[in-house]
Amino acid sequence: MPGSPAAVFRSPAFLGHNTGDHVERAARIAAIDRELERRHLLDERPQAGFTPATDAQILAVHTSRHLSTIEAFARGGGGWIDRDTVVRTDSVEVARLAAGAGIAAVDG
């Protein structure tokens, strides 16, 4: 609808995803949220609802081997999967939620 404010896709799960010193960490999201709130950019902005991406949605863009490898790595305690990617025990759930937010944004 023209003129309506863009929705924001946020979840406490994103703020709770502890990736340590990785650049994509919860403190970065919290800092962005604080600045948006300070500038009153979240006032009267719709908070969009979303659900975690399903296996079918994930498998539309990733192989089942990729998904099962990441799930097993997270279940095993996680760690650095490569020099740029850290996986925590809750990373699969948080990634599913983030993917679901992206899907909801496109559908919206």
Side-chain angles (χ1 to χ4, degrees), residues 13-108:
F14 301 152
L15 291 171
H17 189 234
N18 180 9
T19 57
D21 291 334
H22 192 274
V23 67
E24 296 295 339
R25 58 184 176 269
R28 182 178 181 200
I29 296 170
I32 292 167
D33 281 351
R34 280 191 306 274
E35 187 62 16
L36 291 172
E37 288 168 3
R38 185 186 74 75
R39 294 180 183 206
H40 303 286
L41 294 174
L42 297 175
D43 296 349
E44 299 180 30
R45 189 163 304 279
Q47 298 294 310
F50 55 97
T51 59
T54 65
D55 279 356
Q57 291 168 321
I58 292 169
L59 294 174
V61 295
H62 294 292
T63 66
S64 59
R65 181 177 179 196
H66 177 78
L67 178 57
S68 64
T69 298
I70 299 299
E71 287 174 333
F73 192 69
R75 275 194 311 274
W80 289 90
I81 203 160
D82 61 30
R83 291 179 5 159
D84 187 51
T85 309
V86 64
V87 175
R88 302 293 185 210
T89 56
D90 64 338
S91 290
V92 173
E93 291 78 23
V94 175
R96 282 180 180 275
L97 194 57
I103 292 165
V106 169
D107 288 348

